Amino acid sequence: MNNNRVYNFSSGPAMLPESVLQQAQAELMNWQGTGISMLELHHRSKEFIELSEKITEDFRELLAIPKNYKILFVPGGGRGQFAMVPLNLLGNKNKADYVITGLWSRIAEAEAERYAKINIVEDAKASNYTSIREASEWLIDPEAAFLHYADNETVDGLEFDYIPDTKGVPLVSDMSSNILTRRFDVSRFAVFYACAQKNMGPAGITVAVVHEDFLDRALAITPSIFNYKKHAESGSMQNTPPCFVWYMLGLVLDWVKEQGGVPEMEKRTARRSQQVYQCIDQSQLYVNPVNPRFRSRNNIVFDLRDTNLNERFINEAAARGLVSIKGHPQRGGMRVGIYNAMPDAGVNALVEFMKDFEKTA
Amino acid sequence: MNNNRVYNFSSGPAMLPESVLQQAQAELMNWQGTGISMLELHHRSKEFIELSEKITEDFRELLAIPKNYKILFVPGGGRGQFAMVPLNLLGNKNKADYVITGLWSRIAEAEAERYAKINIVEDAKASNYTSIREASEWLIDPEAAFLHYADNETVDGLEFDYIPDTKGVPLVSDMSSNILTRRFDVSRFAVFYACAQKNMGPAGITVAVVHEDFLDRALAITPSIFNYKKHAESGSMQNTPPCFVWYMLGLVLDWVKEQGGVPEMEKRTARRSQQVYQCIDQSQLYVNPVNPRFRSRNNIVFDLRDTNLNERFINEAAARGLVSIKGHPQRGGMRVGIYNAMPDAGVNALVEFMKDFEKTA
């Protein structure tokens, strides 16, 4: 790493590819000969509109998103989507199904209660967030407006290894923490969404992908800026979008394409998470409680069997330039976010440190 | 100007101070020795929390905001506020007063109709957006939950030169396009707000300043991320804020302080707008129709009496590095945004060009 940069294992905001940061830095004062910084460029300029369209099509290509889906860039983060999903999808129904596998899907469910009667069809709390039942065991309401789940949960490190079959109930997924890390069948979804600051860019923009059949049912109380259809009709420019953040997201997509696209990210994600889980499983000191089928490939949680060593572990890691490895306050222990932009060298350094630490523990 | 930069007269996103861009560029790869870019830094890190608190206090100091006001940094732009204001302020009342002086206050009024019965107490359309009646002539409803107006309208270049006396009805103002350009008595307001991308930073963050008496009346349908109180309680970090954009706003506030604060910005704004209006008024070619009392100091609109010259005017200006001077599509003609970050040299160059052009027209 150049510039005295560290390996940052934060679960988000997360690392960006170094080459992306370098490009942003190089062209910060004057973007592509416009004489204007991307921090200043007008969103309705020919240049920015072309860029926003390119980014949209790059995203479509990377995830093989069919033409009958709109790709929207919206404000408000994942928490904004927690409101936008019910506001836009309930239509004339007043109930929805929610799957809870961790903190974020629980917050999403609580937000949806403002707008509808919510049926919790699965709650991983029963397993202390270490496993997920098969969707066939869930009591899905066939009349629900939609079913919402989080594909990956960052706090307890729990990730789906399957797409739920809802028997026709429109499916919605929060993919904030694992978007662009594996291929999936987009046609199974009514809506999926992801905030940028884990695998796609800096904080400040969220991508919502909406099947065109679901653009026309927003409740009258929906704020315009939270209306999927109005975003679709305006090219995500109802008002001034966060141009610089959107541009950064575009640079990250360029980087993903250069690296080999989502298939390559999927390989890397599998390889690197296996490397860390293997280190944990072969150790006498570290332990991960999650059912191996549902272990998150992006957010790896583990505990030290001797919790007295926690502080020393964190400090010694930091001394090697391995930072933000402390678990979420709600869970405790350790957590490492290994997103697309984490270099292999960072994962190698982490595993080497974990082994060295265990020897001296 | 260095780096082949142009004078950008866009009404927003607008120019940023060159020294601010240079600082952002210099520290882009590694912010203050953290080894992490501000594009990656965790919002709950000690460093970022301290920064966000410093920015908040700088803003408070710059506008002399009393302690009983909360300063909130929120997503969704001005259009988000158009919904947030009624959602948060209606309480148990179902009606509000709106003043319309241009495009933005009209859009704000339309959005508020989702939530309440709206009484339009003044509509500058009557003067073709060239003047504003005294507030004493408005039929303000003493039972209205609030009265909303836009302090400055960018499309027709119309700006209030007074704060309306509403006889006790809570006052709300959109100050998106003139915040930090003059001092005002904050204690007159229940809420005022401004998006960043004109006088405060890049697009992607909005400041809402809310008197603490107005934090407790949000409607139950208010999305959490649009709830003023939840922002107040969380230090504007209910979820991941747009850290980089917030940081840039902070750099702009630092710059305003270095330059002499809001009193100095007020002087510059007056001097520079007078310089351009004088050029217009002394000319046989250019004309501005607005009642001089209400001429915007930040968005100066004018027409060429011979509209056949419009295209040539725009092209010749661009050849001198004076860009984005075309009027808003809804109005036509010309418009120059002269915000705080526009250098005096840019205004001088504009006036010189206008005089030169008239000679050859």
Side-chain angles (χ1 to χ4, degrees):
Chain A
M1 300 277 280
N2 302 321
N3 300 293
N4 295 315
R5 282 171 49 79
V6 295
Y7 295 116
N8 174 10
F9 291 93
S10 167
S11 281
M15 289 187 81
L16 293 167
E18 198 163 43
S19 63
V20 163
L21 292 174
Q22 282 163 340
Q23 182 175 345
Q25 183 178 43
E27 61 193 19
L28 195 89
M29 299 300 293
N30 182 345
W31 186 70
Q32 297 200 350
T34 56
I36 297 172
S37 170
M38 181 52 74
L39 288 154
E40 309 164 314
L41 189 66
H42 199 272
H43 56 297
R44 300 204 193 279
S45 64
K46 181 172 157 288
E47 293 86 352
F48 191 79
I49 288 173
E50 283 175 11
L51 178 67
S52 71
E53 290 171 351
K54 176 194 179 297
I55 295 169
T56 305
E57 288 318 303
D58 283 348
F59 190 80
R60 189 181 295 283
E61 182 190 327
L62 278 166
L63 285 173
I65 298 171
K67 286 212 162 66
N68 55 346
Y69 284 79
K70 297 290 186 185
I71 299 169
L72 313 176
F73 294 85
V74 299
R79 206 174 282 251
Q81 291 306 304
F82 298 168
M84 282 177 80
V85 165
L87 285 167
N88 284 275
L89 297 195
L90 280 168
N92 57 13
K93 295 187 172 180
N94 67 344
K95 53 186 181 174
D97 286 350
Y98 274 70
V99 174
I100 294 178
T101 51
L103 178 65
W104 302 110
S105 44
R106 191 172 296 284
I107 295 173
E109 187 277 324
E111 184 78 5
E113 285 185 17
R114 291 186 192 289
Y115 308 108
K117 186 178 173 304
I118 304 302
N119 176 32
I120 296 174
V121 298
E122 162 70 348
D123 193 336
K125 192 178 180 184
S127 68
N128 203 23
Y129 306 107
T130 61
S131 199
I132 304 169
R133 291 184 306 159
E134 294 303 318
S136 58
E137 297 179 52
W138 306 346
L139 290 176
I140 296 172
D141 179 350
E143 294 302 315
F146 61 89
L147 181 144
H148 178 280
Y149 76 107
D151 202 29
N152 183 61
E153 280 278 1
T154 58
V155 173
D156 293 285
L158 202 60
E159 185 177 26
F160 273 82
D161 74 339
Y162 68 91
I163 297 177
D165 178 358
T166 56
K167 315 278 188 207
V169 172
L171 188 59
V172 179
S173 186
D174 178 354
M175 298 190 181
S176 290
S177 46
N178 65 354
I179 195 89
L180 297 178
T181 68
R182 66 180 172 197
R183 292 162 293 177
F184 62 94
D185 181 358
V186 169
S187 73
R188 299 281 301 277
F189 293 91
V191 173
F192 63 93
Y193 61 87
C195 53
Q197 69 267 18
K198 297 163 194 293
N199 270 306
M200 293 196 290
I205 200 162
T206 296
V207 184
V209 180
V210 182
H211 187 286
E212 59 189 14
D213 287 353
F214 295 88
L215 288 170
D216 247 333
R217 50 186 86 177
L219 301 181
I221 56 167
T222 307
S224 298
I225 200 68
F226 272 6
N227 185 306
Y228 285 145
K229 188 180 186 188
K230 288 179 193 286
H231 279 284
E233 288 171 343
S234 63
S236 301
M237 291 198 206
Q238 267 193 87
N239 64 355
T240 313
C243 300
F244 187 81
V245 177
W246 199 350
Y247 146 84
M248 288 297 303
L249 187 151
L251 294 185
V252 173
L253 299 189
D254 286 341
W255 176 86
V256 172
K257 286 170 73 176
E258 285 159 22
Q259 299 289 308
V262 175
E264 173 62 21
M265 296 299 125
E266 186 172 340
K267 271 186 223 163
R268 286 187 196 180
T269 305
R271 170 168 45 78
R272 304 191 310 188
S273 58
Q274 280 161 17
Q275 190 182 349
V276 179
Y277 282 120
Q278 194 171 56
C279 169
I280 292 168
D281 291 342
Q282 292 176 347
S283 134
Q284 304 300 312
L285 178 61
Y286 312 115
V287 60
N288 169 289
V290 178
N291 176 345
R293 241 189 89 184
F294 299 110
R295 282 175 164 181
S296 171
R297 302 161 308 129
N298 290 276
N299 307 95
I300 300 175
V301 300
F302 59 94
D303 297 292
L304 276 59
R305 289 182 200 270
D306 179 357
T307 55
N308 291 321
L309 293 171
N310 281 1
E311 197 178 332
R312 206 189 109 199
F313 183 83
I314 289 165
N315 291 339
E316 291 188 14
R320 292 207 197 180
L322 309 169
V323 308
S324 281
I325 63 171
K326 194 174 178 176
H328 188 279
Q330 180 142 336
R331 187 194 174 281
M334 304 298 153
R335 175 175 63 165
V336 290
I338 300 178
Y339 296 116
N340 287 344
M342 172 62 66
D344 280 351
V347 181
N348 295 338
L350 172 70
V351 168
E352 191 182 332
F353 164 71
M354 288 172 71
K355 290 179 177 168
D356 289 350
F357 184 86
E358 184 168 4
K359 285 176 203 157
T360 67
Chain B
M1 298 278 280
N2 303 320
N3 301 292
N4 295 315
R5 283 170 49 79
V6 295
Y7 295 117
N8 173 11
F9 291 93
S10 167
S11 281
M15 289 187 81
L16 293 166
E18 198 163 44
S19 63
V20 163
L21 292 174
Q22 282 162 342
Q23 183 176 343
Q25 183 178 43
E27 61 193 20
L28 195 89
M29 299 299 294
N30 182 345
W31 186 70
Q32 297 200 351
T34 56
I36 297 172
S37 170
M38 181 52 74
L39 288 155
E40 309 164 314
L41 189 66
H42 199 272
H43 56 298
R44 300 202 194 280
S45 63
K46 182 173 156 288
E47 292 87 353
F48 191 79
I49 288 173
E50 282 176 11
L51 179 67
S52 70
E53 290 170 351
K54 176 194 179 297
I55 295 169
T56 305
E57 289 317 304
D58 283 347
F59 190 80
R60 190 180 295 282
E61 182 190 327
L62 279 166
L63 285 173
I65 298 171
K67 285 211 161 67
N68 55 346
Y69 285 78
K70 297 290 185 186
I71 299 169
L72 312 177
F73 294 85
V74 299
R79 206 174 283 251
Q81 291 305 304
F82 297 168
M84 281 176 81
V85 165
L87 284 168
N88 284 275
L89 297 194
L90 280 168
N92 56 12
K93 295 186 172 180
N94 67 344
K95 52 187 181 174
D97 286 350
Y98 273 70
V99 174
I100 295 178
T101 52
L103 178 65
W104 301 110
S105 45
R106 192 172 296 283
I107 295 173
E109 186 277 325
E111 184 78 5
E113 286 185 16
R114 291 187 191 289
Y115 308 108
K117 185 176 173 305
I118 304 302
N119 175 31
I120 297 174
V121 299
E122 162 69 347
D123 192 336
K125 193 178 180 185
S127 68
N128 203 23
Y129 306 108
T130 60
S131 199
I132 304 169
R133 291 184 306 159
E134 294 303 317
S136 57
E137 297 179 50
W138 306 346
L139 290 177
I140 295 172
D141 179 350
E143 294 302 315
F146 61 89
L147 181 144
H148 178 280
Y149 76 106
D151 202 29
N152 183 61
E153 280 278 0
T154 57
V155 172
D156 293 285
L158 201 61
E159 185 177 27
F160 273 82
D161 75 339
Y162 68 90
I163 298 177
D165 179 358
T166 56
K167 315 278 188 204
V169 172
L171 188 60
V172 179
S173 185
D174 178 355
M175 298 189 180
S176 289
S177 46
N178 65 354
I179 194 88
L180 298 177
T181 68
R182 65 180 172 195
R183 292 162 294 178
F184 62 94
D185 181 359
V186 169
S187 73
R188 298 281 302 278
F189 293 90
V191 173
F192 63 92
Y193 62 86
C195 54
Q197 69 268 18
K198 297 162 194 295
N199 270 306
M200 293 196 290
I205 201 162
T206 297
V207 184
V209 180
V210 182
H211 188 287
E212 60 188 15
D213 286 353
F214 294 88
L215 287 170
D216 247 332
R217 50 186 85 179
L219 302 181
I221 56 167
T222 307
S224 298
I225 200 68
F226 272 5
N227 185 306
Y228 285 146
K229 188 180 186 187
K230 288 180 194 286
H231 280 285
E233 287 172 344
S234 63
S236 302
M237 292 199 206
Q238 268 192 86
N239 65 355
T240 313
C243 300
F244 188 82
V245 177
W246 200 350
Y247 145 84
M248 288 297 303
L249 187 151
L251 294 185
V252 173
L253 299 188
D254 286 342
W255 176 86
V256 172
K257 286 171 73 176
E258 285 158 23
Q259 298 291 306
V262 175
E264 174 62 22
M265 295 301 125
E266 185 172 341
K267 271 186 225 164
R268 288 187 195 179
T269 305
R271 170 170 44 79
R272 304 191 311 187
S273 59
Q274 281 161 18
Q275 190 182 349
V276 179
Y277 282 119
Q278 193 172 57
C279 168
I280 292 168
D281 291 342
Q282 292 177 347
S283 134
Q284 303 300 311
L285 177 62
Y286 312 115
V287 60
N288 168 290
V290 178
N291 176 344
R293 243 189 87 183
F294 299 111
R295 282 174 164 180
S296 170
R297 301 161 308 129
N298 290 276
N299 307 94
I300 300 174
V301 300
F302 58 94
D303 297 291
L304 275 59
R305 289 182 199 271
D306 179 357
T307 55
N308 292 320
L309 294 171
N310 282 0
E311 197 178 333
R312 206 189 110 200
F313 183 83
I314 290 165
N315 291 339
E316 291 189 14
R320 292 206 196 180
L322 309 168
V323 308
S324 282
I325 63 172
K326 194 175 178 177
H328 188 280
Q330 179 141 337
R331 186 193 175 281
M334 304 297 153
R335 174 175 64 165
V336 290
I338 300 178
Y339 296 118
N340 287 343
M342 173 62 67
D344 280 352
V347 181
N348 294 339
L350 172 71
V351 168
E352 191 182 332
F353 164 70
M354 288 173 72
K355 289 180 178 170
D356 289 350
F357 184 86
E358 184 168 4
K359 284 178 203 158
T360 67

